């Protein structure tokens, strides 16, 4: 009788081991599938939210894409983006704006006329980025930081390492010009 019980116990143990192995395999497949979905989802999200479209890329080959930013006695070269908003902004130049400081990382000014929006979510704002928030707020960023907000690219100030010192944390008068 012990022998039969032992055989049955071995059979049950063997069945339990097989069942546990199958559960582990199934769980492993589910985890791998979820990991794959998360990876694909993050890759898609990164493409759709952090990379500007080709119309938002800065165009650096044309002389028309150049403008100048003057802060006090300091002059910075800037490259206009290849967007409708950037072209509309360039058509308004020269402009001298008394820009308000916001969050100790940007200067902003509300334009009287709306510009064409072509928003995207950059994920990271870089020191020297010139953006349009909404359709009327021109923003010059002087620090690099992460952002969840969407903007339309206007351009980028080259050699912008000194911008934080030049702009400080109070209002600033900034001149935008083509010459």
């Amino acid at each position: 009788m012990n022998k039969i019980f032992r055989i049955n116990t071995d059979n049950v143990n063997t069945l339990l081991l097989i069942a546990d192995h199958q559960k582990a395999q199934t769980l492993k497949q589910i985890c791998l599938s979820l990991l794959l979905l998360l990876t694909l989802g993050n890759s898609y999200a990164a493409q759709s939210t952090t990379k500007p479209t080709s119309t938002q890329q800065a165009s650096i080959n044309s002389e028309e894409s150049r403008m100048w930013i003057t802060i006090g006695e300091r002059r910075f070269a800037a490259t206009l983006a290849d967007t409708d908003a950037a072209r509309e902004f360039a058509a308004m130049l020269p402009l001298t704006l008394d820009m308000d400081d916001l969050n100790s990382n940007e200067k902003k000014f509300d334009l009287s006329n709306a510009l064409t929006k072509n928003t995207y979510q950059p994920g990271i704002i870089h020191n020297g980025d010139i953006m349009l928030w909404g359709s009327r707020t021109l923003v010059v960023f002087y620090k690099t930081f992460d952002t969840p907000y969407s903007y339309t690219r206007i351009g980028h100030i080259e050699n912008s390492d000194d911008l934080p010192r030049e702009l400080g944390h109070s209002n600033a008068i900034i001149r935008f010009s083509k010459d």
Side-chain angles (χ1 to χ4, degrees), residues 33-124:
S33 297
L34 285 173
L35 183 61
L36 177 64
L37 286 173
L38 286 172
T39 302
L40 290 174
N42 285 340
S43 174
Y44 175 76
Q47 286 178 351
S48 65
T49 61
T50 61
K51 292 184 179 178
T53 62
S54 61
T55 61
Q56 293 167 321
Q57 294 288 340
S59 173
I60 59 174
N61 294 331
S62 171
E63 191 59 37
E64 292 177 8
S65 69
R66 173 77 59 202
M67 75 173 168
W68 297 95
I69 312 290
T70 306
I71 304 163
E73 299 298 316
R74 196 70 196 275
R75 188 171 176 181
F76 297 88
T79 302
L80 286 163
D82 185 16
T83 62
D84 289 337
R87 284 184 282 280
E88 292 165 6
F89 180 72
M92 299 167 62
L93 302 182
L95 280 176
T96 300
L97 305 176
D98 186 0
M99 301 186 77
D100 297 326
D101 191 75
L102 183 63
N103 301 320
S104 298
N105 62 13
E106 63 192 82
K107 302 296 184 203
K108 71 173 186 79
F109 183 86
D110 290 329
L111 300 168
S112 56
N113 295 324
L115 302 179
T116 303
K117 294 189 320 182
N118 187 9
T119 60
Y120 77 106
Q121 188 177 19
I124 297 176

XYZ file of all heavy atoms in Angstrom, residues 33-124:
707
model
N 6.253 39.818 -23.521
C 5.316 40.533 -24.394
C 5.051 41.937 -23.870
O 5.035 42.908 -24.636
C 3.992 39.773 -24.510
O 4.199 38.526 -25.119
N 4.854 42.074 -22.554
C 4.632 43.393 -21.964
C 5.861 44.279 -22.128
O 5.742 45.470 -22.439
C 4.277 43.258 -20.479
C 2.867 42.770 -20.177
C 2.698 42.525 -18.676
C 1.836 43.768 -20.663
N 7.032 43.713 -21.925
C 8.262 44.470 -22.093
C 8.407 44.962 -23.536
O 8.766 46.111 -23.780
C 9.473 43.612 -21.697
C 10.827 44.297 -21.753
C 10.877 45.485 -20.808
C 11.924 43.309 -21.397
N 8.103 44.104 -24.490
C 8.154 44.484 -25.895
C 7.164 45.612 -26.188
O 7.500 46.595 -26.837
C 7.877 43.272 -26.793
C 7.820 43.553 -28.297
C 9.182 44.036 -28.788
C 7.389 42.321 -29.053
N 5.942 45.492 -25.685
C 4.934 46.532 -25.898
C 5.356 47.859 -25.275
O 5.196 48.919 -25.879
C 3.584 46.089 -25.332
C 2.838 45.024 -26.135
C 1.599 44.554 -25.384
C 2.463 45.543 -27.504
N 5.903 47.804 -24.064
C 6.370 49.028 -23.419
C 7.507 49.667 -24.196
O 7.557 50.876 -24.372
C 6.811 48.737 -21.983
C 5.691 48.497 -20.980
C 6.267 48.019 -19.653
C 4.873 49.753 -20.786
N 8.424 48.857 -24.667
C 9.552 49.376 -25.441
C 9.065 50.026 -26.733
O 9.485 51.125 -27.078
C 10.553 48.241 -25.757
O 10.991 47.675 -24.524
C 11.737 48.767 -26.538
N 8.176 49.344 -27.442
C 7.631 49.909 -28.678
C 6.837 51.168 -28.396
O 6.930 52.152 -29.127
C 6.762 48.880 -29.399
C 7.503 47.689 -30.014
C 6.506 46.678 -30.571
C 8.456 48.152 -31.093
N 6.061 51.157 -27.333
C 5.278 52.330 -26.966
C 6.157 53.511 -26.626
O 5.908 54.634 -27.061
N 7.219 53.294 -25.844
C 8.136 54.372 -25.504
C 8.867 54.889 -26.727
O 9.101 56.081 -26.864
C 9.147 53.924 -24.448
C 8.538 53.833 -23.074
O 7.499 54.425 -22.806
N 9.176 53.083 -22.196
N 9.230 53.994 -27.628
C 9.908 54.399 -28.850
C 8.987 55.265 -29.699
O 9.385 56.305 -30.208
C 10.343 53.160 -29.640
O 10.867 53.534 -30.881
N 7.734 54.874 -29.819
C 6.776 55.661 -30.585
C 6.546 57.010 -29.923
O 6.539 58.037 -30.575
C 5.445 54.912 -30.722
C 4.388 55.747 -31.400
C 4.418 55.947 -32.773
C 3.386 56.362 -30.659
C 3.480 56.729 -33.391
C 2.436 57.153 -31.269
C 2.482 57.327 -32.631
O 1.548 58.121 -33.237
N 6.387 57.006 -28.588
C 6.155 58.253 -27.861
C 7.342 59.190 -28.026
O 7.182 60.388 -28.208
C 5.892 57.980 -26.386
N 8.557 58.649 -27.961
C 9.745 59.484 -28.109
C 9.800 60.094 -29.502
O 10.133 61.253 -29.669
C 11.005 58.660 -27.841
N 9.427 59.321 -30.520
C 9.439 59.840 -31.879
C 8.378 60.910 -32.060
O 8.593 61.908 -32.718
C 9.190 58.719 -32.887
C 10.359 57.803 -33.071
C 10.045 56.684 -34.040
O 8.902 56.495 -34.447
N 11.053 55.934 -34.415
N 7.209 60.701 -31.476
C 6.121 61.623 -31.729
C 6.171 62.857 -30.839
O 5.536 63.843 -31.148
C 4.771 60.922 -31.548
O 4.604 60.532 -30.203
N 6.926 62.831 -29.727
C 6.912 63.988 -28.840
C 8.241 64.702 -28.731
O 8.258 65.853 -28.344
C 6.477 63.585 -27.415
O 7.412 62.647 -26.896
C 5.080 63.015 -27.407
N 9.339 64.082 -29.057
C 10.604 64.765 -28.835
C 11.319 65.161 -30.116
O 12.219 65.973 -30.070
C 11.567 63.899 -27.996
O 11.842 62.696 -28.691
C 10.984 63.614 -26.641
N 10.923 64.639 -31.231
C 11.609 64.978 -32.462
C 10.750 65.926 -33.288
O 9.634 65.586 -33.662
C 11.895 63.717 -33.282
C 12.908 62.813 -32.636
C 13.223 61.646 -33.517
C 14.250 60.756 -32.877
N 14.545 59.592 -33.668
N 11.249 67.104 -33.587
C 10.476 67.992 -34.426
C 10.401 67.448 -35.843
O 11.276 66.722 -36.284
C 11.267 69.297 -34.391
C 12.610 68.955 -33.874
C 12.494 67.670 -33.124
N 9.329 67.802 -36.532
C 9.199 67.374 -37.920
C 10.197 68.145 -38.764
O 10.790 69.118 -38.313
C 7.773 67.641 -38.443
O 7.538 69.053 -38.388
C 6.739 66.893 -37.620
N 10.344 67.738 -40.004
C 11.341 68.376 -40.851
C 11.052 69.855 -41.036
O 11.962 70.643 -41.228
C 11.414 67.666 -42.203
O 10.167 67.755 -42.851
N 9.785 70.268 -40.960
C 9.484 71.693 -41.101
C 9.864 72.470 -39.867
O 9.906 73.688 -39.891
C 7.989 71.916 -41.388
O 7.239 71.411 -40.284
C 7.561 71.269 -42.679
N 10.178 71.779 -38.761
C 10.553 72.469 -37.542
C 12.063 72.466 -37.338
O 12.556 73.087 -36.419
C 9.871 71.815 -36.333
C 8.375 72.011 -36.375
C 7.679 71.123 -35.382
O 8.068 69.982 -35.187
N 6.645 71.626 -34.769
N 12.802 71.766 -38.166
C 14.253 71.738 -38.045
C 14.818 73.091 -38.457
O 14.322 73.747 -39.357
C 14.844 70.658 -38.954
C 14.475 69.251 -38.576
C 15.186 68.809 -37.305
O 16.182 69.369 -36.913
N 14.653 67.797 -36.670
N 15.869 73.508 -37.777
C 16.512 74.769 -38.132
C 17.173 74.626 -39.494
O 17.822 73.637 -39.778
C 17.544 75.143 -37.077
N 16.985 75.621 -40.328
C 17.600 75.636 -41.645
C 18.841 76.522 -41.561
O 18.730 77.716 -41.350
C 16.610 76.191 -42.673
O 17.242 76.354 -43.900
N 20.028 75.924 -41.719
C 21.251 76.688 -41.496
C 21.991 77.040 -42.785
O 23.006 77.711 -42.728
C 22.203 75.924 -40.549
C 22.552 74.568 -41.125
C 21.601 75.803 -39.179
C 23.592 73.824 -40.341
N 21.482 76.644 -43.939
C 22.214 76.879 -45.173
C 21.903 78.223 -45.817
O 22.703 78.752 -46.559
C 21.923 75.761 -46.179
C 22.458 74.438 -45.689
O 23.428 74.407 -44.958
N 21.823 73.354 -46.077
N 20.759 78.782 -45.556
C 20.328 79.983 -46.241
C 20.627 81.227 -45.425
O 20.467 81.255 -44.214
C 18.820 79.889 -46.504
O 18.351 81.121 -46.982
N 21.055 82.283 -46.115
C 21.281 83.565 -45.451
C 19.971 84.112 -44.892
O 19.964 84.842 -43.904
C 21.911 84.566 -46.439
C 22.436 85.829 -45.795
C 23.506 85.585 -44.739
O 24.339 84.689 -44.912
O 23.494 86.304 -43.735
N 18.852 83.747 -45.505
C 17.548 84.188 -45.021
C 17.229 83.616 -43.646
O 16.366 84.127 -42.952
C 16.452 83.778 -46.004
C 16.526 84.506 -47.322
C 15.469 84.024 -48.294
O 14.589 83.242 -47.895
O 15.518 84.442 -49.455
N 17.903 82.569 -43.264
C 17.611 81.933 -41.985
C 18.395 82.560 -40.828
O 18.255 82.143 -39.694
C 17.914 80.433 -42.062
O 19.303 80.234 -42.172
N 19.168 83.571 -41.097
C 20.006 84.212 -40.076
C 19.297 85.442 -39.515
O 18.686 86.205 -40.245
C 21.333 84.637 -40.699
C 22.234 85.451 -39.836
C 22.984 84.705 -38.786
N 23.814 83.689 -39.408
C 24.246 82.622 -38.756
N 23.952 82.440 -37.505
N 24.979 81.737 -39.360
N 19.382 85.616 -38.202
C 18.966 86.867 -37.573
C 19.926 87.155 -36.425
O 20.756 86.314 -36.076
C 17.510 86.827 -37.102
C 17.236 86.037 -35.864
S 15.513 86.297 -35.357
C 15.393 84.991 -34.152
N 19.787 88.335 -35.871
C 20.666 88.768 -34.791
C 19.847 89.127 -33.570
O 18.771 89.706 -33.670
C 21.515 89.959 -35.236
C 22.412 89.595 -36.369
C 22.163 89.774 -37.701
C 23.669 88.944 -36.275
N 23.206 89.266 -38.445
C 24.150 88.755 -37.587
C 24.449 88.506 -35.216
C 25.362 88.155 -37.868
C 25.666 87.903 -35.490
C 26.116 87.735 -36.795
N 20.384 88.782 -32.411
C 19.767 89.086 -31.124
C 20.746 89.993 -30.382
O 21.912 89.608 -30.183
C 19.550 87.811 -30.278
C 18.897 86.698 -31.077
C 18.827 88.122 -28.985
C 17.479 86.896 -31.443
N 20.295 91.159 -29.977
C 21.159 92.082 -29.244
C 20.583 92.304 -27.854
O 19.407 92.669 -27.711
C 21.294 93.430 -29.987
O 21.735 93.179 -31.324
C 22.292 94.344 -29.286
N 21.424 92.063 -26.846
C 21.052 92.254 -25.444
C 22.097 93.194 -24.867
O 23.270 92.812 -24.717
C 21.042 90.917 -24.677
C 20.119 89.919 -25.362
C 20.647 91.141 -23.220
C 20.337 88.477 -24.947
N 21.697 94.427 -24.569
C 22.671 95.428 -24.116
C 23.692 95.663 -25.213
O 23.339 95.999 -26.336
N 24.959 95.447 -24.907
C 26.032 95.615 -25.888
C 26.398 94.306 -26.574
O 27.238 94.280 -27.459
C 27.290 96.189 -25.193
C 27.076 97.547 -24.563
C 26.706 98.593 -25.604
O 27.334 98.624 -26.685
O 25.779 99.378 -25.326
N 25.780 93.225 -26.162
C 26.139 91.885 -26.642
C 25.264 91.473 -27.814
O 24.035 91.579 -27.749
C 25.972 90.910 -25.479
C 26.604 89.598 -25.631
C 28.142 89.682 -25.567
N 28.659 88.468 -26.091
C 28.826 87.367 -25.395
N 28.591 87.354 -24.111
N 29.255 86.274 -25.970
N 25.867 90.982 -28.882
C 25.144 90.563 -30.081
C 25.367 89.067 -30.293
O 26.497 88.593 -30.272
C 25.649 91.351 -31.279
C 24.852 91.127 -32.521
C 25.274 92.103 -33.590
N 24.555 91.794 -34.816
C 24.687 92.433 -35.940
N 25.521 93.448 -36.022
N 24.011 92.087 -36.997
N 24.266 88.358 -30.528
C 24.294 86.908 -30.750
C 23.718 86.601 -32.128
O 22.707 87.182 -32.526
C 23.435 86.170 -29.710
C 23.904 86.305 -28.301
C 23.486 87.372 -27.507
C 24.757 85.359 -27.746
C 23.901 87.482 -26.197
C 25.174 85.464 -26.432
C 24.749 86.540 -25.651
N 24.346 85.675 -32.835
C 23.786 85.172 -34.092
C 22.720 84.138 -33.748
O 22.842 83.400 -32.770
C 24.875 84.534 -34.945
N 21.673 84.103 -34.556
C 20.619 83.116 -34.358
C 20.204 82.560 -35.713
O 20.300 83.237 -36.740
C 19.412 83.742 -33.657
N 19.758 81.329 -35.706
C 19.282 80.664 -36.912
C 17.776 80.500 -36.796
O 17.280 79.961 -35.800
C 19.950 79.282 -37.067
O 21.361 79.455 -37.105
C 19.492 78.600 -38.338
N 17.071 80.966 -37.799
C 15.616 80.805 -37.828
C 15.262 79.387 -38.246
O 15.933 78.784 -39.091
C 14.988 81.798 -38.813
C 14.948 83.245 -38.353
C 14.700 84.176 -39.526
C 13.885 83.429 -37.287
N 14.203 78.865 -37.668
C 13.706 77.540 -38.045
C 12.956 77.641 -39.367
O 12.557 78.724 -39.802
C 12.777 77.011 -36.951
N 12.762 76.526 -39.993
C 12.017 76.459 -41.252
C 10.542 76.207 -40.931
O 10.012 75.125 -41.190
C 12.604 75.350 -42.133
C 11.959 75.311 -43.506
O 11.295 76.302 -43.888
O 12.102 74.284 -44.192
N 9.895 77.200 -40.317
C 8.475 77.109 -39.979
C 7.781 78.372 -40.466
O 8.422 79.420 -40.645
C 8.249 76.981 -38.452
O 8.751 78.150 -37.810
C 8.920 75.732 -37.888
N 6.477 78.278 -40.656
C 5.709 79.464 -41.041
C 5.826 80.544 -39.975
O 5.967 81.726 -40.290
C 4.235 79.096 -41.263
C 4.029 78.267 -42.526
O 4.876 78.336 -43.444
O 3.014 77.547 -42.592
N 5.766 80.145 -38.715
C 5.862 81.114 -37.623
C 7.194 81.852 -37.659
O 7.248 83.067 -37.430
C 5.678 80.404 -36.281
N 8.279 81.152 -37.937
C 9.606 81.790 -38.002
C 9.655 82.780 -39.163
O 10.201 83.879 -39.020
C 10.697 80.736 -38.142
N 9.079 82.406 -40.303
C 9.056 83.328 -41.444
C 8.200 84.558 -41.132
O 8.568 85.687 -41.470
C 8.555 82.602 -42.693
C 9.605 81.674 -43.307
C 9.125 81.038 -44.594
N 8.213 79.930 -44.350
C 8.584 78.706 -44.009
N 9.864 78.424 -43.866
N 7.693 77.753 -43.820
N 7.067 84.352 -40.481
C 6.201 85.468 -40.097
C 6.912 86.373 -39.088
O 6.824 87.606 -39.180
C 4.892 84.941 -39.506
C 4.027 84.232 -40.529
C 2.909 83.399 -39.906
O 2.708 83.439 -38.667
O 2.223 82.689 -40.670
N 7.629 85.775 -38.147
C 8.379 86.558 -37.165
C 9.471 87.362 -37.867
O 9.644 88.551 -37.604
C 8.974 85.644 -36.085
C 9.752 86.385 -35.045
C 9.112 87.178 -34.107
C 11.137 86.301 -35.005
C 9.837 87.882 -33.145
C 11.868 86.993 -34.052
C 11.213 87.786 -33.122
N 10.198 86.743 -38.789
C 11.279 87.428 -39.509
C 10.739 88.613 -40.307
O 11.411 89.639 -40.426
C 12.006 86.448 -40.425
N 9.523 88.489 -40.814
C 8.920 89.583 -41.579
C 8.606 90.788 -40.681
O 8.460 91.909 -41.172
C 7.651 89.105 -42.275
N 8.528 90.578 -39.386
C 8.231 91.649 -38.427
C 9.497 92.422 -38.019
O 9.398 93.466 -37.386
C 7.577 91.062 -37.171
C 6.268 90.369 -37.428
S 5.704 89.358 -36.021
C 5.493 90.580 -34.753
N 10.674 91.897 -38.348
C 11.926 92.487 -37.883
C 12.243 93.778 -38.618
O 11.891 93.924 -39.781
C 13.062 91.471 -38.056
C 12.878 90.154 -37.325
C 14.078 89.253 -37.533
C 12.597 90.359 -35.853
N 12.911 94.708 -37.979
C 13.488 94.646 -36.641
C 12.434 94.907 -35.557
O 11.480 95.647 -35.760
C 14.528 95.760 -36.656
C 14.000 96.760 -37.630
C 13.231 95.967 -38.668
N 12.659 94.291 -34.414
C 11.798 94.441 -33.242
C 12.665 94.638 -32.013
O 13.659 93.935 -31.838
C 10.963 93.187 -33.009
C 9.719 92.939 -33.819
C 9.131 91.575 -33.447
C 8.691 94.018 -33.576
N 12.280 95.555 -31.168
C 12.914 95.695 -29.859
C 11.829 95.439 -28.838
O 10.813 96.135 -28.813
C 13.520 97.102 -29.682
O 14.497 97.306 -30.701
C 14.175 97.237 -28.314
N 12.025 94.402 -28.015
C 10.992 93.960 -27.078
C 11.489 94.037 -25.643
O 12.617 93.637 -25.344
C 10.583 92.517 -27.395
C 10.124 92.230 -28.828
C 9.847 90.742 -28.998
C 8.903 93.060 -29.182
N 10.633 94.539 -24.765
C 10.901 94.530 -23.325
C 10.298 93.229 -22.813
O 9.089 93.125 -22.601
C 10.258 95.739 -22.659
C 10.615 95.852 -21.190
O 11.363 94.989 -20.669
O 10.138 96.811 -20.542
N 11.153 92.213 -22.624
C 10.686 90.864 -22.317
C 10.713 90.600 -20.818
O 11.681 90.920 -20.134
C 11.524 89.828 -23.077
C 11.455 90.027 -24.591
S 12.281 88.740 -25.533
C 11.063 87.430 -25.428
N 9.617 90.036 -20.321
C 9.479 89.690 -18.914
C 10.188 88.382 -18.608
O 10.159 87.452 -19.413
C 8.000 89.531 -18.533
C 7.206 90.808 -18.691
O 7.774 91.894 -18.452
O 6.016 90.729 -19.064
N 10.799 88.321 -17.411
C 11.403 87.067 -16.964
C 10.303 86.153 -16.433
O 9.359 86.601 -15.785
C 12.436 87.312 -15.869
C 13.253 86.073 -15.590
O 14.127 85.756 -16.421
O 13.014 85.410 -14.564
N 10.433 84.867 -16.718
C 9.488 83.875 -16.229
C 10.261 82.650 -15.767
O 11.089 82.116 -16.510
C 8.492 83.484 -17.336
C 7.397 82.498 -16.960
C 6.474 83.080 -15.890
C 6.576 82.125 -18.187
N 10.024 82.223 -14.551
C 10.600 81.002 -13.980
C 12.123 81.002 -13.897
O 12.734 79.942 -13.783
C 10.135 79.768 -14.764
C 8.634 79.635 -14.773
O 7.978 79.881 -13.763
N 8.086 79.256 -15.907
N 12.749 82.135 -14.014
C 14.218 82.246 -13.960
C 14.907 81.347 -14.982
O 16.012 80.845 -14.756
C 14.732 81.921 -12.550
O 14.217 82.848 -11.622
N 14.230 81.121 -16.131
C 14.852 80.334 -17.197
C 14.460 80.822 -18.590
O 14.926 80.284 -19.580
C 14.529 78.842 -17.055
C 13.052 78.532 -17.157
O 12.244 79.358 -17.557
N 12.687 77.326 -16.781
N 13.592 81.822 -18.648
C 13.106 82.283 -19.955
C 12.655 83.733 -19.894
O 12.305 84.250 -18.843
C 11.943 81.408 -20.429
C 10.728 81.480 -19.514
C 9.695 80.415 -19.812
O 9.883 79.275 -19.329
O 8.721 80.732 -20.503
N 12.672 84.364 -21.063
C 12.103 85.701 -21.255
C 10.933 85.535 -22.207
O 11.015 84.782 -23.177
C 13.128 86.662 -21.867
C 14.394 86.837 -21.057
C 14.128 87.467 -19.724
C 15.442 87.711 -19.004
N 15.298 87.804 -17.582
N 9.837 86.271 -21.915
C 8.643 86.125 -22.754
C 8.079 87.480 -23.113
O 8.270 88.471 -22.402
C 7.590 85.296 -22.045
C 6.921 85.996 -20.882
C 5.773 85.166 -20.341
C 5.010 85.924 -19.283
N 4.087 86.903 -19.789
N 7.386 87.500 -24.250
C 6.719 88.714 -24.706
C 5.491 88.294 -25.507
O 5.580 87.427 -26.378
C 7.658 89.560 -25.590
C 7.044 90.855 -26.014
C 7.128 91.975 -25.196
C 6.374 90.957 -27.225
C 6.560 93.177 -25.582
C 5.796 92.156 -27.620
C 5.886 93.269 -26.798
N 4.354 88.936 -25.217
C 3.127 88.653 -25.964
C 3.054 89.570 -27.175
O 2.928 90.798 -27.045
C 1.893 88.842 -25.073
C 1.784 87.763 -24.015
O 2.232 86.630 -24.281
O 1.253 88.046 -22.928
N 3.151 88.957 -28.357
C 3.091 89.701 -29.610
C 1.672 90.209 -29.846
O 0.697 89.590 -29.400
C 3.514 88.795 -30.769
C 4.928 88.218 -30.674
C 5.128 87.118 -31.716
C 5.959 89.320 -30.843
N 1.545 91.306 -30.579
C 0.210 91.859 -30.848
C -0.550 91.011 -31.873
O -1.776 90.950 -31.833
C 0.316 93.310 -31.325
O 1.150 93.398 -32.463
N 0.180 90.359 -32.773
C -0.463 89.511 -33.785
C -0.099 88.049 -33.564
O 1.041 87.731 -33.222
C -0.010 89.915 -35.200
C -0.464 91.317 -35.551
O -1.546 91.741 -35.161
N 0.369 92.036 -36.272
N -1.062 87.186 -33.816
C -0.829 85.741 -33.702
C 0.017 85.262 -34.881
O -0.098 85.777 -35.994
C -2.153 84.993 -33.668
N 0.871 84.289 -34.615
C 1.663 83.636 -35.656
C 1.107 82.231 -35.882
O 0.426 81.672 -35.021
C 3.142 83.565 -35.237
C 3.832 84.892 -34.922
C 5.278 84.644 -34.509
C 3.758 85.841 -36.103
N 1.432 81.653 -37.012
C 0.965 80.308 -37.339
C 1.603 79.284 -36.414
O 2.830 79.213 -36.311
C 1.300 79.959 -38.803
O 0.712 80.946 -39.648
C 0.792 78.589 -39.178
N 0.760 78.504 -35.758
C 1.264 77.475 -34.845
C 1.563 76.192 -35.603
O 0.848 75.833 -36.529
C 0.230 77.156 -33.757
C -0.041 78.268 -32.816
C -0.890 77.874 -31.623
C -2.009 76.937 -31.908
N -2.835 76.628 -30.735
N 2.631 75.538 -35.203
C 2.992 74.203 -35.675
C 3.660 73.526 -34.487
O 4.867 73.292 -34.480
C 3.925 74.295 -36.883
C 4.178 72.937 -37.499
O 3.537 71.956 -37.135
N 5.127 72.868 -38.399
N 2.855 73.255 -33.461
C 3.409 72.837 -32.173
C 3.904 71.401 -32.174
O 3.429 70.562 -32.925
C 2.375 73.006 -31.048
O 1.231 72.208 -31.349
C 1.970 74.453 -30.888
N 4.861 71.190 -31.300
C 5.355 69.857 -30.981
C 5.844 69.905 -29.542
O 6.039 70.978 -28.966
C 6.463 69.400 -31.943
C 7.809 70.021 -31.673
C 8.828 69.288 -31.081
C 8.068 71.351 -32.012
C 10.065 69.849 -30.834
C 9.297 71.921 -31.763
C 10.291 71.163 -31.174
O 11.513 71.728 -30.923
N 6.019 68.762 -28.950
C 6.487 68.685 -27.566
C 7.963 68.296 -27.590
O 8.300 67.133 -27.822
C 5.670 67.660 -26.793
C 5.958 67.656 -25.315
C 5.064 66.674 -24.579
O 4.493 65.780 -25.163
N 4.968 66.854 -23.281
N 8.873 69.262 -27.348
C 10.300 68.963 -27.463
C 10.836 68.054 -26.358
O 11.844 67.400 -26.544
C 10.959 70.341 -27.405
C 9.993 71.188 -26.672
C 8.621 70.657 -27.012
N 10.192 68.044 -25.195
C 10.697 67.240 -24.085
C 11.805 67.950 -23.325
O 11.795 68.007 -22.112
N 12.760 68.505 -24.053
C 13.854 69.271 -23.441
C 13.954 70.615 -24.160
O 13.981 70.670 -25.388
C 15.205 68.537 -23.563
C 15.170 67.216 -22.810
C 16.350 69.411 -23.038
C 16.422 66.387 -22.963
